Amino acid sequence: MVLKAFFPTCCTSADNGLLVGRWVPEQSSAVVLAVVHFPFIPIQVKELLAQVQQASQVGLAVLGTWCHRQQESKESLGHFLEGLGTIFSHEPWLQLCREKGSKFWSCKATHQQGSGTPGVSSEDEVMLIFYDQRKVLLSHLHPPTVLPDCQAGEATVSAEGLAAIFDTVSRSEVLFCKDQFDEGPVRLSHWQSEGVEASILVELVKQASGPLCLLVACLLSLISAASTCRLWKLWPLPFIASKLSTCEQLRHRLEHLTLVFSTQKAQSPAQLMRKANMLVSMLLDVALGLTLLSWLHSSNRIGQLANALIPMADHVAEELQHLLQWLMGAPAGLKMNRALDQVLGRFFLYHIHLWISYIHLMSPFIERILWHVGLSACLGLTVALSILSDIFALLTFHIYCFYVYGARLYCLKICGLSSLWRLFRGKKWNVLRQRVDSCSYDLDQLFIGTLLFTILVFLLPTTALYYLVFTLLRLLVVTVQGLIHLLVDLINSLPLYSLGLRLCRPYRLAAGVKFRVLEHEAGRPLRLLMQINPLPYSSVVHTYRLPRCGCHPKHSWGSLCRKLFFGELIYPWKQRGDKQD
């Protein structure tokens, strides 16, 4: 049987001593965590292992002996190691030795055949695998995806073996808190032997994070209590709040703040990564918002925007008037129903006149409104973009009205034509059973149906043309709002901390490992170097992507075309009864 011994690279130059680690019988693997140096008292070593095992819940044991330099003769060293195997009984007993002045290693694992004959033993072949203890400790192993040419069972077994190695090292962090400068009776060699890594800034942040999180959590609880007041539940405030992007974004950010500044400690690395991603996302959002705020308030750009807004609105209104006058004539040489064409054209021209009066009435307050919108950027760029989307929706409210009028009229005619077409075929729609049933009609019903069908057919081209034009304008407005919402969702959901960690510390996000052969000679143990494969960037985004706001509809192209053909309204927000494709 071939045994796998995982040996930390930081202990290759350690002095002689004992190998301390964990034996994984399912994988026939020994994970070496540290080397206990000579001299030592066996009872003190056992007490240290018991303390670490109680704190980390990892079954630690003395796995064998480690010899760096052969200062003693082989015979005396062999008797000494045999004595240690009697004191620290473990099956199998590893004996690792690095030959003096050479790069070659000797490894063997012995098994006692019986308790009554300790001198008789058998040896197993050992495969020595070196690993970077610091990287394995700080990394988080992700479950691998099963390749098409691999069996799911094999991938599961290999993943469980790697998970056992990574879990052993990560849970034994208590053992690494002791270095060679400790005055304890036991001296250890591991990745922090030269002194425990620490940072004054990190320690200060840890000490200050507790009171700060408690204070912010209290403030957020007050804000949440104020938002649940009965005053905000009076109609139509809940309806308006559910349609405004600003309210949805503020609610989304409030949930993020509540989770980040929660006093509860993260229970898993995934929760800790999610908190870090939310914190970095909010910090970047505020930084971009402050940058936008400084740009708006420099060189009086808010005043320039306010002065340019009214002429721009007048130009848009003038272009819409020209478009309606073109539709009221003979658009593209098409002969329309003149009476209906004149009625619809004058109706929409009157709405444009109302909209221009509304804009000019608000012109004295536009600069102040823009100033407050720019000031809201201190809450984050996403809040400013959400307010911009709502303002854009208000400024194009007349286009929305045109679209609703045209869509309702077109939908009414389509429904009427489909119902009259069923009348000609002797069918009718059964409302109770939600199906088409056969039905017999008399002569008067068929005559009236024929007249109505003829009228609707001849009026349909005029209505369809107005509906087509205003639908295109509405889709243009929805596209602009969709781009703004896409940018907001990108800032909200992009895992920036995970991406930065993947860029600067790729070993922290491990997708698996690879092995590089260091020595493979006859009569020598196989020596491998375990290296961490970082998680691909696409997998990082897919795994740690934050949840989106979830208030915007997601239609497939099929459902969108169906709604446009039948004249159903397309809303920029999610409806209660919508079915998402």
mmCIF file with all atom_site columns, all heavy atoms in Angstrom, residues 284-298:
data_model
loop_
_atom_site.group_PDB
_atom_site.id
_atom_site.type_symbol
_atom_site.label_atom_id
_atom_site.label_alt_id
_atom_site.label_comp_id
_atom_site.label_asym_id
_atom_site.label_entity_id
_atom_site.label_seq_id
_atom_site.pdbx_PDB_ins_code
_atom_site.Cartn_x
_atom_site.Cartn_y
_atom_site.Cartn_z
_atom_site.occupancy
_atom_site.B_iso_or_equiv
_atom_site.pdbx_formal_charge
_atom_site.auth_seq_id
_atom_site.auth_comp_id
_atom_site.auth_asym_id
_atom_site.auth_atom_id
_atom_site.pdbx_PDB_model_num
ATOM 1   N N   . LEU A 1 284 ? -17.038 51.558 -2.614  1.00 0.00 ? 284 LEU A N   1
ATOM 2   C CA  . LEU A 1 284 ? -16.819 52.029 -3.982  1.00 0.00 ? 284 LEU A CA  1
ATOM 3   C C   . LEU A 1 284 ? -17.990 52.879 -4.461  1.00 0.00 ? 284 LEU A C   1
ATOM 4   O O   . LEU A 1 284 ? -17.783 53.906 -5.147  1.00 0.00 ? 284 LEU A O   1
ATOM 5   C CB  . LEU A 1 284 ? -16.625 50.832 -4.904  1.00 0.00 ? 284 LEU A CB  1
ATOM 6   C CG  . LEU A 1 284 ? -16.411 51.159 -6.385  1.00 0.00 ? 284 LEU A CG  1
ATOM 7   C CD1 . LEU A 1 284 ? -15.109 51.913 -6.577  1.00 0.00 ? 284 LEU A CD1 1
ATOM 8   C CD2 . LEU A 1 284 ? -16.426 49.903 -7.240  1.00 0.00 ? 284 LEU A CD2 1
ATOM 9   N N   . ASP A 1 285 ? -19.194 52.502 -4.099  1.00 0.00 ? 285 ASP A N   1
ATOM 10  C CA  . ASP A 1 285 ? -20.375 53.270 -4.486  1.00 0.00 ? 285 ASP A CA  1
ATOM 11  C C   . ASP A 1 285 ? -20.324 54.680 -3.905  1.00 0.00 ? 285 ASP A C   1
ATOM 12  O O   . ASP A 1 285 ? -20.560 55.671 -4.612  1.00 0.00 ? 285 ASP A O   1
ATOM 13  C CB  . ASP A 1 285 ? -21.624 52.530 -4.002  1.00 0.00 ? 285 ASP A CB  1
ATOM 14  C CG  . ASP A 1 285 ? -22.904 53.158 -4.516  1.00 0.00 ? 285 ASP A CG  1
ATOM 15  O OD1 . ASP A 1 285 ? -22.830 53.939 -5.478  1.00 0.00 ? 285 ASP A OD1 1
ATOM 16  O OD2 . ASP A 1 285 ? -23.979 52.861 -3.964  1.00 0.00 ? 285 ASP A OD2 1
ATOM 17  N N   . VAL A 1 286 ? -19.976 54.785 -2.630  1.00 0.00 ? 286 VAL A N   1
ATOM 18  C CA  . VAL A 1 286 ? -19.880 56.109 -1.991  1.00 0.00 ? 286 VAL A CA  1
ATOM 19  C C   . VAL A 1 286 ? -18.731 56.910 -2.593  1.00 0.00 ? 286 VAL A C   1
ATOM 20  O O   . VAL A 1 286 ? -18.854 58.140 -2.811  1.00 0.00 ? 286 VAL A O   1
ATOM 21  C CB  . VAL A 1 286 ? -19.719 55.942 -0.463  1.00 0.00 ? 286 VAL A CB  1
ATOM 22  C CG1 . VAL A 1 286 ? -19.458 57.290 0.189   1.00 0.00 ? 286 VAL A CG1 1
ATOM 23  C CG2 . VAL A 1 286 ? -20.968 55.308 0.133   1.00 0.00 ? 286 VAL A CG2 1
ATOM 24  N N   . ALA A 1 287 ? -17.606 56.270 -2.874  1.00 0.00 ? 287 ALA A N   1
ATOM 25  C CA  . ALA A 1 287 ? -16.462 56.977 -3.462  1.00 0.00 ? 287 ALA A CA  1
ATOM 26  C C   . ALA A 1 287 ? -16.821 57.534 -4.842  1.00 0.00 ? 287 ALA A C   1
ATOM 27  O O   . ALA A 1 287 ? -16.505 58.694 -5.159  1.00 0.00 ? 287 ALA A O   1
ATOM 28  C CB  . ALA A 1 287 ? -15.261 56.042 -3.549  1.00 0.00 ? 287 ALA A CB  1
ATOM 29  N N   . LEU A 1 288 ? -17.496 56.730 -5.662  1.00 0.00 ? 288 LEU A N   1
ATOM 30  C CA  . LEU A 1 288 ? -17.930 57.223 -6.974  1.00 0.00 ? 288 LEU A CA  1
ATOM 31  C C   . LEU A 1 288 ? -18.973 58.335 -6.838  1.00 0.00 ? 288 LEU A C   1
ATOM 32  O O   . LEU A 1 288 ? -18.970 59.292 -7.622  1.00 0.00 ? 288 LEU A O   1
ATOM 33  C CB  . LEU A 1 288 ? -18.503 56.063 -7.794  1.00 0.00 ? 288 LEU A CB  1
ATOM 34  C CG  . LEU A 1 288 ? -17.511 54.972 -8.210  1.00 0.00 ? 288 LEU A CG  1
ATOM 35  C CD1 . LEU A 1 288 ? -18.244 53.846 -8.933  1.00 0.00 ? 288 LEU A CD1 1
ATOM 36  C CD2 . LEU A 1 288 ? -16.418 55.537 -9.098  1.00 0.00 ? 288 LEU A CD2 1
ATOM 37  N N   . GLY A 1 289 ? -19.847 58.205 -5.843  1.00 0.00 ? 289 GLY A N   1
ATOM 38  C CA  . GLY A 1 289 ? -20.833 59.260 -5.620  1.00 0.00 ? 289 GLY A CA  1
ATOM 39  C C   . GLY A 1 289 ? -20.195 60.570 -5.202  1.00 0.00 ? 289 GLY A C   1
ATOM 40  O O   . GLY A 1 289 ? -20.589 61.648 -5.672  1.00 0.00 ? 289 GLY A O   1
ATOM 41  N N   . LEU A 1 290 ? -19.196 60.519 -4.313  1.00 0.00 ? 290 LEU A N   1
ATOM 42  C CA  . LEU A 1 290 ? -18.503 61.740 -3.911  1.00 0.00 ? 290 LEU A CA  1
ATOM 43  C C   . LEU A 1 290 ? -17.725 62.346 -5.074  1.00 0.00 ? 290 LEU A C   1
ATOM 44  O O   . LEU A 1 290 ? -17.633 63.582 -5.196  1.00 0.00 ? 290 LEU A O   1
ATOM 45  C CB  . LEU A 1 290 ? -17.559 61.433 -2.744  1.00 0.00 ? 290 LEU A CB  1
ATOM 46  C CG  . LEU A 1 290 ? -18.240 61.039 -1.425  1.00 0.00 ? 290 LEU A CG  1
ATOM 47  C CD1 . LEU A 1 290 ? -17.197 60.688 -0.372  1.00 0.00 ? 290 LEU A CD1 1
ATOM 48  C CD2 . LEU A 1 290 ? -19.145 62.158 -0.918  1.00 0.00 ? 290 LEU A CD2 1
ATOM 49  N N   . THR A 1 291 ? -17.172 61.499 -5.934  1.00 0.00 ? 291 THR A N   1
ATOM 50  C CA  . THR A 1 291 ? -16.491 62.015 -7.129  1.00 0.00 ? 291 THR A CA  1
ATOM 51  C C   . THR A 1 291 ? -17.470 62.750 -8.039  1.00 0.00 ? 291 THR A C   1
ATOM 52  O O   . THR A 1 291 ? -17.175 63.834 -8.565  1.00 0.00 ? 291 THR A O   1
ATOM 53  C CB  . THR A 1 291 ? -15.829 60.861 -7.887  1.00 0.00 ? 291 THR A CB  1
ATOM 54  O OG1 . THR A 1 291 ? -14.927 60.170 -7.009  1.00 0.00 ? 291 THR A OG1 1
ATOM 55  C CG2 . THR A 1 291 ? -15.055 61.371 -9.084  1.00 0.00 ? 291 THR A CG2 1
ATOM 56  N N   . LEU A 1 292 ? -18.657 62.158 -8.246  1.00 0.00 ? 292 LEU A N   1
ATOM 57  C CA  . LEU A 1 292 ? -19.686 62.821 -9.040  1.00 0.00 ? 292 LEU A CA  1
ATOM 58  C C   . LEU A 1 292 ? -20.138 64.116 -8.387  1.00 0.00 ? 292 LEU A C   1
ATOM 59  O O   . LEU A 1 292 ? -20.366 65.130 -9.080  1.00 0.00 ? 292 LEU A O   1
ATOM 60  C CB  . LEU A 1 292 ? -20.871 61.872 -9.227  1.00 0.00 ? 292 LEU A CB  1
ATOM 61  C CG  . LEU A 1 292 ? -22.093 62.430 -9.967  1.00 0.00 ? 292 LEU A CG  1
ATOM 62  C CD1 . LEU A 1 292 ? -21.730 62.786 -11.401 1.00 0.00 ? 292 LEU A CD1 1
ATOM 63  C CD2 . LEU A 1 292 ? -23.246 61.443 -9.937  1.00 0.00 ? 292 LEU A CD2 1
ATOM 64  N N   . LEU A 1 293 ? -20.266 64.116 -7.070  1.00 0.00 ? 293 LEU A N   1
ATOM 65  C CA  . LEU A 1 293 ? -20.694 65.318 -6.350  1.00 0.00 ? 293 LEU A CA  1
ATOM 66  C C   . LEU A 1 293 ? -19.683 66.444 -6.519  1.00 0.00 ? 293 LEU A C   1
ATOM 67  O O   . LEU A 1 293 ? -20.058 67.604 -6.772  1.00 0.00 ? 293 LEU A O   1
ATOM 68  C CB  . LEU A 1 293 ? -20.889 64.985 -4.869  1.00 0.00 ? 293 LEU A CB  1
ATOM 69  C CG  . LEU A 1 293 ? -21.366 66.124 -3.964  1.00 0.00 ? 293 LEU A CG  1
ATOM 70  C CD1 . LEU A 1 293 ? -22.737 66.606 -4.391  1.00 0.00 ? 293 LEU A CD1 1
ATOM 71  C CD2 . LEU A 1 293 ? -21.383 65.667 -2.508  1.00 0.00 ? 293 LEU A CD2 1
ATOM 72  N N   . SER A 1 294 ? -18.392 66.119 -6.399  1.00 0.00 ? 294 SER A N   1
ATOM 73  C CA  . SER A 1 294 ? -17.367 67.157 -6.565  1.00 0.00 ? 294 SER A CA  1
ATOM 74  C C   . SER A 1 294 ? -17.331 67.674 -8.001  1.00 0.00 ? 294 SER A C   1
ATOM 75  O O   . SER A 1 294 ? -17.087 68.865 -8.234  1.00 0.00 ? 294 SER A O   1
ATOM 76  C CB  . SER A 1 294 ? -15.998 66.594 -6.171  1.00 0.00 ? 294 SER A CB  1
ATOM 77  O OG  . SER A 1 294 ? -15.636 65.513 -7.015  1.00 0.00 ? 294 SER A OG  1
ATOM 78  N N   . TRP A 1 295 ? -17.597 66.793 -8.979  1.00 0.00 ? 295 TRP A N   1
ATOM 79  C CA  . TRP A 1 295 ? -17.607 67.243 -10.370 1.00 0.00 ? 295 TRP A CA  1
ATOM 80  C C   . TRP A 1 295 ? -18.804 68.145 -10.665 1.00 0.00 ? 295 TRP A C   1
ATOM 81  O O   . TRP A 1 295 ? -18.686 69.120 -11.413 1.00 0.00 ? 295 TRP A O   1
ATOM 82  C CB  . TRP A 1 295 ? -17.642 66.018 -11.290 1.00 0.00 ? 295 TRP A CB  1
ATOM 83  C CG  . TRP A 1 295 ? -17.628 66.375 -12.741 1.00 0.00 ? 295 TRP A CG  1
ATOM 84  C CD1 . TRP A 1 295 ? -16.559 66.714 -13.506 1.00 0.00 ? 295 TRP A CD1 1
ATOM 85  C CD2 . TRP A 1 295 ? -18.778 66.441 -13.610 1.00 0.00 ? 295 TRP A CD2 1
ATOM 86  N NE1 . TRP A 1 295 ? -16.944 66.981 -14.791 1.00 0.00 ? 295 TRP A NE1 1
ATOM 87  C CE2 . TRP A 1 295 ? -18.303 66.824 -14.891 1.00 0.00 ? 295 TRP A CE2 1
ATOM 88  C CE3 . TRP A 1 295 ? -20.134 66.213 -13.435 1.00 0.00 ? 295 TRP A CE3 1
ATOM 89  C CZ2 . TRP A 1 295 ? -19.157 66.982 -15.973 1.00 0.00 ? 295 TRP A CZ2 1
ATOM 90  C CZ3 . TRP A 1 295 ? -20.980 66.375 -14.511 1.00 0.00 ? 295 TRP A CZ3 1
ATOM 91  C CH2 . TRP A 1 295 ? -20.497 66.749 -15.758 1.00 0.00 ? 295 TRP A CH2 1
ATOM 92  N N   . LEU A 1 296 ? -19.956 67.831 -10.094 1.00 0.00 ? 296 LEU A N   1
ATOM 93  C CA  . LEU A 1 296 ? -21.150 68.646 -10.336 1.00 0.00 ? 296 LEU A CA  1
ATOM 94  C C   . LEU A 1 296 ? -21.050 70.025 -9.704  1.00 0.00 ? 296 LEU A C   1
ATOM 95  O O   . LEU A 1 296 ? -21.526 71.021 -10.275 1.00 0.00 ? 296 LEU A O   1
ATOM 96  C CB  . LEU A 1 296 ? -22.393 67.915 -9.807  1.00 0.00 ? 296 LEU A CB  1
ATOM 97  C CG  . LEU A 1 296 ? -22.874 66.696 -10.600 1.00 0.00 ? 296 LEU A CG  1
ATOM 98  C CD1 . LEU A 1 296 ? -24.039 66.034 -9.902  1.00 0.00 ? 296 LEU A CD1 1
ATOM 99  C CD2 . LEU A 1 296 ? -23.256 67.087 -12.027 1.00 0.00 ? 296 LEU A CD2 1
ATOM 100 N N   . HIS A 1 297 ? -20.447 70.104 -8.526  1.00 0.00 ? 297 HIS A N   1
ATOM 101 C CA  . HIS A 1 297 ? -20.396 71.383 -7.812  1.00 0.00 ? 297 HIS A CA  1
ATOM 102 C C   . HIS A 1 297 ? -19.180 72.215 -8.187  1.00 0.00 ? 297 HIS A C   1
ATOM 103 O O   . HIS A 1 297 ? -18.971 73.281 -7.608  1.00 0.00 ? 297 HIS A O   1
ATOM 104 C CB  . HIS A 1 297 ? -20.402 71.119 -6.303  1.00 0.00 ? 297 HIS A CB  1
ATOM 105 C CG  . HIS A 1 297 ? -21.736 70.700 -5.781  1.00 0.00 ? 297 HIS A CG  1
ATOM 106 N ND1 . HIS A 1 297 ? -22.706 71.598 -5.385  1.00 0.00 ? 297 HIS A ND1 1
ATOM 107 C CD2 . HIS A 1 297 ? -22.289 69.471 -5.625  1.00 0.00 ? 297 HIS A CD2 1
ATOM 108 C CE1 . HIS A 1 297 ? -23.786 70.935 -4.987  1.00 0.00 ? 297 HIS A CE1 1
ATOM 109 N NE2 . HIS A 1 297 ? -23.558 69.638 -5.114  1.00 0.00 ? 297 HIS A NE2 1
ATOM 110 N N   . SER A 1 298 ? -18.371 71.727 -9.118  1.00 0.00 ? 298 SER A N   1
ATOM 111 C CA  . SER A 1 298 ? -17.243 72.526 -9.593  1.00 0.00 ? 298 SER A CA  1
ATOM 112 C C   . SER A 1 298 ? -17.626 73.206 -10.904 1.00 0.00 ? 298 SER A C   1
ATOM 113 O O   . SER A 1 298 ? -18.297 72.615 -11.759 1.00 0.00 ? 298 SER A O   1
ATOM 114 C CB  . SER A 1 298 ? -16.012 71.639 -9.803  1.00 0.00 ? 298 SER A CB  1
ATOM 115 O OG  . SER A 1 298 ? -16.251 70.663 -10.786 1.00 0.00 ? 298 SER A OG  1
#
